[in-house]
Amino acid sequence: HEKNWAPILGTSSWLYSCHEESRVVTASRQGDRWVLTPRGPSPAVARGFRGGTQLVPCDGGWLACVHEVADEDGRRTYEHRWVWFDADLAIVGWSSPFVFRSRRQIEFAAGLAWYGDRLVCTFGVRDEQAWLSILNYQQLVRGRVSA
């Protein structure tokens, strides 16, 4: 019932869930059906992670930007996190929650690509604006929490 599938760049698999029964789960098409495959372990913090960008190769594993639903005075808002996966798709690190533009609104990260040693992340705001952000990867790594 997960609706936020995220493609895994260069593969035929999709990230289905960051935390299902304490595991990362991928989906892949086999014939006319989709098959769910439990992958690496997932920490409890990942319970609220929802898809966002595709997973891109990073440091021998994968990197993605996900979102979490937050409640700001009864209003639904989104916050993001960077999530690092190892080669077997176990979650090995994550960032603190953040927003791209401003708090108390819906933002949704949609695309992620390398641009040299930087990352370009596209995102929408309130389903009415499109933005892109160019990020210094080394700054992201310094803020990483390891599993």
Side-chain angles (χ1 to χ4, degrees):
H1 302 309
E2 180 60 53
K3 67 176 183 166
N4 293 300
W5 294 24
I8 304 171
L9 196 64
T11 75
S12 59
S13 294
W14 295 67
L15 176 68
Y16 173 77
S17 174
C18 285
H19 189 82
E20 186 160 314
E21 297 181 14
S22 300
R23 305 210 55 94
V24 172
V25 176
T26 58
S28 56
R29 192 167 192 87
Q30 293 183 5
D32 62 345
R33 53 190 276 254
W34 288 92
V35 175
L36 301 180
T37 305
R39 303 297 291 258
S42 172
V45 70
R47 282 187 184 119
F49 294 179
R50 306 284 185 264
T53 69
Q54 70 273 33
L55 280 68
V56 297
C58 180
D59 297 334
W62 304 93
L63 175 68
C65 184
V66 301
H67 71 276
E68 295 175 284
V69 176
D71 183 12
E72 294 270 342
D73 300 323
R75 287 186 50 196
R76 181 184 180 107
T77 64
Y78 288 173
E79 295 176 327
H80 307 284
R81 287 187 193 253
W82 296 104
V83 180
W84 285 265
F85 301 83
D86 69 12
D88 296 320
L89 292 172
I91 293 177
V92 294
W94 57 89
S95 71
S96 296
F98 69 92
V99 297
F100 286 104
R101 299 282 298 159
S102 64
R103 296 179 55 81
R104 299 186 179 153
Q105 65 183 356
I106 298 286
E107 292 182 342
F108 190 82
L112 185 63
W114 284 103
Y115 180 65
D117 62 349
R118 296 185 204 161
L119 287 165
V120 177
C121 187
T122 60
F123 63 98
V125 177
R126 295 182 309 276
D127 293 329
E128 63 187 28
Q129 298 174 2
W131 291 85
L132 67 87
S133 183
I134 299 174
L135 307 147
N136 179 317
Y137 178 66
Q138 292 308 314
Q139 289 178 340
L140 297 181
V141 171
R142 284 195 287 273
R144 175 178 160 171
V145 175
S146 294

